[in-house]
Amino acid sequence: MLLWASLLVLAAPKPVISLHPPWTVVFKGETVTLTCHVPHLRAAEYITWHLSYFGKDLLHKTPGNTLKVHDSGRFRCQTKDSPPSDSVRLIFSSDWLILQAPHTVFEGDTLVLRCQVKGRQKLITVKYSWNGKVISVSNQGQDLLIPQASLNNSGHYQCIGFLERDHYVYKSSTRIIKIQELFPYPKLQVTPSQPTEGSSVNLSCQTQLPLERSDTLLYFTFFRDRGVMLSDWSRSPELQITTIWREDSGSYWCTAATAIPSIQKHSLPLQVHVQGVPVSGVLLETQPQGGQALAGEPLVLVCSVAEGTGDIAFSWHREDTGEHVGRKQQRSQRAELEIPAVGGSHMGRYYCTADNGHGLARSGALNVTVTGTPGNRSGLIAAGATGGLLSILLLAVALWMYHQHQRKSGGRFLENTTRSTPTIGPGEAPHSGCPALVELQQLYGNGYLEEENLAYSEIRIIQLGQEEAASTSRTSLENKHTSVIYSAVKTQLPEDSAGEVRSQDEDAIENYENVQFA
């Protein structure tokens, strides 16, 4: 319990004593009022005063936070929950001339020094000295004002006065005046102290205002090598660098400042070394997957790392030939190398490497195979068209053979020509999205024909749209634009006068002639 109570006392803020009037040296018979400033002081709470008189320590309690003093000594105050305040020393002097100064003066404050004569007599001339050197002379006995005092203004002060009535020279006792820091020089703290690339870093500019000036506004900013400003002035003493890289290594410092008056203090520089993460887990993949590529198509080699920071140099190689295929450097854990059109020469074993300056790492080898033969869309279309023509010719042969069979069976047809129902060809016409109909102009006859050995006189290709192909009648087909590909597609050997084929074997293969239409 005692330990817990001690911790509570240490955690409470320390009270501060102020003086009215503000001087620590006064004449005997005067009164100085001390005020104990305690945060969150309750109205009914008592203040305990520690009094040191002539080497004796006394305690005195007051229901409020003020105490009137008439004797020299040292004074402190506290509540039951707070530690004691800093001590204040008061001097009640019996000298004829005294030099009065405030109890505390912080840098940036205006230092006021007053030279006083007992009985409030008038001084015609006053001289003020600092460390034995006269720094000011006033013929009207005015106070000495030092605006925006600095730590350099600390020292030994004295005043010399000349009375108006007798021109007698009076000297005060020497006073030691110490200008206190408004806040100490800041200290920069970096968390973590050894950051790694790609991680975040917190910068903290640490300093502390005194209790007497706790309401003073401080502003902060941060710097790197050669005065590179990392942030604007801000009330926050913290700065987060969301992502830090190896090139961000260097000297860092911070600055704390007040607005009015302007007091700036810089921290000591702190060296920050950003550590890189070596690359590891290098993997080579392909698109399409598995290293299987189609000839003439693109192949993408993808090199990636599981870990690694900063700029990474990726390199692709052929294991079987020792060839260096390509190289890329970028701030990424993944890079791609494209082969626009693969061929047989690209078949082989590939691997990739990655290096970010902390050591090179290599992937396993991947076998790339190429299937098919190089080609293009026009070649495929041409092949389709050729296949379609061959199918047409085969159909024509079949119909002719059927015609020959009918002739041998004695049947006769009219000698005028008829046209078969349009037949859709097995392939697309080149450069068209429309289906093609094949029109066969056929001559039949069991009787004598002028060209009785002619099976088909013409083969026509008719181009139709998709809708037309579904609804076109025979009559409309005849009005379409047609293209004659063959005439006299097949002929048979002439028969002799007895109506027999002049061949040693009637069932033998007949002679065909395909004449292309000019």
Side-chain angles (χ1 to χ4, degrees):
M1 289 298 294
L2 291 176
L3 178 60
W4 178 250
S6 300
L7 292 175
L8 287 176
V9 169
L10 293 175
K14 184 189 297 185
V16 175
I17 296 177
S18 65
L19 312 177
H20 182 74
W23 319 114
T24 57
V25 178
V26 295
F27 290 109
K28 278 187 177 182
E30 296 182 343
T31 300
V32 176
T33 301
L34 305 181
T35 301
C36 184
H37 297 278
V38 181
H40 313 298
L41 179 66
R42 294 184 293 271
E45 190 171 2
Y46 279 80
I47 298 294
T48 301
W49 297 89
H50 298 261
L51 313 177
S52 297
Y53 290 118
F54 307 107
K56 295 181 179 181
D57 294 334
L58 302 174
L59 294 178
H60 182 72
K61 288 187 176 182
T62 60
N65 64 338
T66 61
L67 177 67
K68 294 185 182 298
V69 179
H70 307 280
D71 297 309
S72 299
R74 291 183 178 274
F75 304 86
R76 295 182 300 166
C77 70
Q78 71 176 125
T79 66
K80 65 176 183 178
D81 296 330
S82 73
S85 67
D86 294 332
S87 64
V88 174
R89 184 187 179 193
L90 291 179
I91 298 175
F92 290 85
S93 177
S94 58
D95 294 339
W96 277 94
L97 188 68
I98 60 175
L99 177 63
Q100 294 180 315
H103 167 54
T104 54
V105 180
F106 290 96
E107 55 184 339
D109 292 347
T110 298
L111 173 60
V112 180
L113 299 178
R114 178 171 294 175
C115 201
Q116 282 281 30
V117 179
K118 183 186 279 188
R120 307 298 181 183
Q121 298 182 58
K122 186 177 181 181
L123 295 172
I124 59 174
T125 303
V126 178
K127 294 181 180 180
Y128 294 92
S129 66
W130 170 70
N131 293 335
K133 179 182 179 181
V134 176
I135 58 174
S136 176
V137 176
S138 173
N139 294 327
Q140 298 179 3
Q142 295 178 342
D143 297 340
L144 174 64
L145 303 180
I146 301 178
Q148 296 190 23
S150 67
L151 300 180
N152 295 330
N153 295 125
S154 299
H156 295 77
Y157 286 85
Q158 186 181 38
C159 71
I160 302 171
F162 299 88
L163 291 178
E164 185 178 22
R165 60 183 174 83
D166 56 7
H167 298 282
Y168 189 78
V169 178
Y170 296 90
K171 291 184 178 181
S172 71
S173 299
T174 301
R175 291 286 315 279
I176 298 176
I177 298 177
K178 183 179 181 180
I179 308 300
Q180 299 185 41
E181 280 189 324
L182 180 60
F183 56 91
Y185 281 86
K187 180 181 179 181
L188 178 65
Q189 183 176 3
V190 179
T191 307
S193 58
Q194 294 183 338
T196 57
E197 281 190 299
S199 65
S200 63
V201 174
N202 292 325
L203 306 181
S204 178
C205 195
Q206 299 179 346
T207 188
Q208 182 67 48
L209 287 166
L211 293 172
E212 295 90 337
R213 296 291 189 272
S214 58
D215 58 347
T216 301
L217 297 181
L218 285 180
Y219 297 86
F220 303 89
T221 188
F222 297 84
F223 296 90
R224 200 179 64 203
D225 294 330
R226 300 193 180 107
V228 177
M229 199 169 184
L230 301 178
S231 69
D232 295 330
W233 288 101
S234 169
R235 290 277 292 119
S236 174
E238 309 283 340
L239 175 67
Q240 183 184 53
I241 301 175
T242 55
T243 308
I244 195 166
W245 303 105
R246 187 166 50 180
E247 56 266 28
D248 296 324
S249 300
S251 180
Y252 287 73
W253 72 93
C254 67
T255 299
T258 60
I260 300 174
S262 179
I263 300 173
Q264 292 191 12
K265 294 185 178 181
H266 308 287
S267 70
L268 293 175
L270 181 64
Q271 292 295 323
V272 176
H273 178 66
V274 183
Q275 300 178 344
V277 177
V279 293
S280 61
V282 184
L283 177 66
L284 178 64
E285 299 174 289
T286 62
Q287 294 177 355
Q289 297 180 353
Q292 297 179 353
L294 183 63
E297 296 294 321
L299 176 68
V300 180
L301 303 176
V302 182
C303 189
S304 62
V305 298
E307 290 186 350
T309 57
D311 290 337
I312 301 179
F314 295 92
S315 186
W316 290 264
H317 304 267
R318 285 277 298 270
E319 186 180 60
D320 50 341
T321 64
E323 178 186 0
H324 179 260
V325 180
R327 185 179 187 276
K328 285 186 178 180
Q329 181 167 342
Q330 57 194 50
R331 179 159 291 178
S332 173
Q333 293 185 328
R334 184 177 187 272
E336 297 181 355
L337 180 69
E338 181 180 2
I339 302 175
V342 294
S345 62
H346 294 109
M347 295 178 62
R349 294 179 62 80
Y350 289 78
Y351 69 92
C352 69
T353 62
D355 187 8
N356 63 349
H358 296 282
L360 184 141
R362 170 184 160 160
S363 72
L366 178 65
N367 193 45
V368 173
T369 60
V370 180
T371 59
T373 57
N376 52 37
R377 182 173 296 272
S378 61
L380 293 175
I381 294 174
T386 302
L389 290 177
L390 290 176
S391 300
I392 294 171
L393 292 177
L394 290 175
L395 177 62
V397 170
L399 292 175
W400 181 85
M401 293 177 67
Y402 176 78
H403 164 69
Q404 290 298 315
H405 176 74
Q406 292 294 328
R407 289 187 60 189
K408 291 177 181 180
S409 62
R412 289 284 182 176
F413 292 92
L414 296 177
E415 293 183 2
N416 61 328
T417 61
T418 61
R419 296 185 177 181
S420 67
T421 302
T423 304
I424 298 176
E428 279 190 355
H431 309 292
S432 173
C434 303
L437 297 183
V438 179
E439 184 179 10
L440 307 179
Q441 186 171 11
Q442 189 175 22
L443 295 177
Y444 299 100
N446 290 327
Y448 176 79
L449 300 175
E450 291 184 10
E451 297 178 347
E452 58 183 0
N453 61 338
L454 181 63
Y456 295 91
S457 61
E458 293 180 353
I459 296 179
R460 301 175 182 267
I461 297 296
I462 304 174
Q463 299 294 332
L464 297 179
Q466 293 179 353
E467 296 182 357
E468 293 173 316
S471 61
T472 302
S473 64
R474 170 180 294 203
T475 304
S476 60
L477 287 175
E478 295 179 354
N479 296 327
K480 294 295 180 180
H481 173 72
T482 62
S483 174
V484 177
I485 299 178
Y486 288 92
S487 64
V489 173
K490 294 191 300 181
T491 59
Q492 65 182 47
L493 294 176
E495 298 175 345
D496 57 13
S497 58
E500 298 294 331
V501 178
R502 288 181 297 179
S503 172
Q504 295 179 355
D505 188 355
E506 182 175 336
D507 296 328
I509 300 298
E510 296 171 336
N511 186 25
Y512 304 103
E513 179 182 3
N514 295 331
V515 182
Q516 188 170 359
F517 187 80

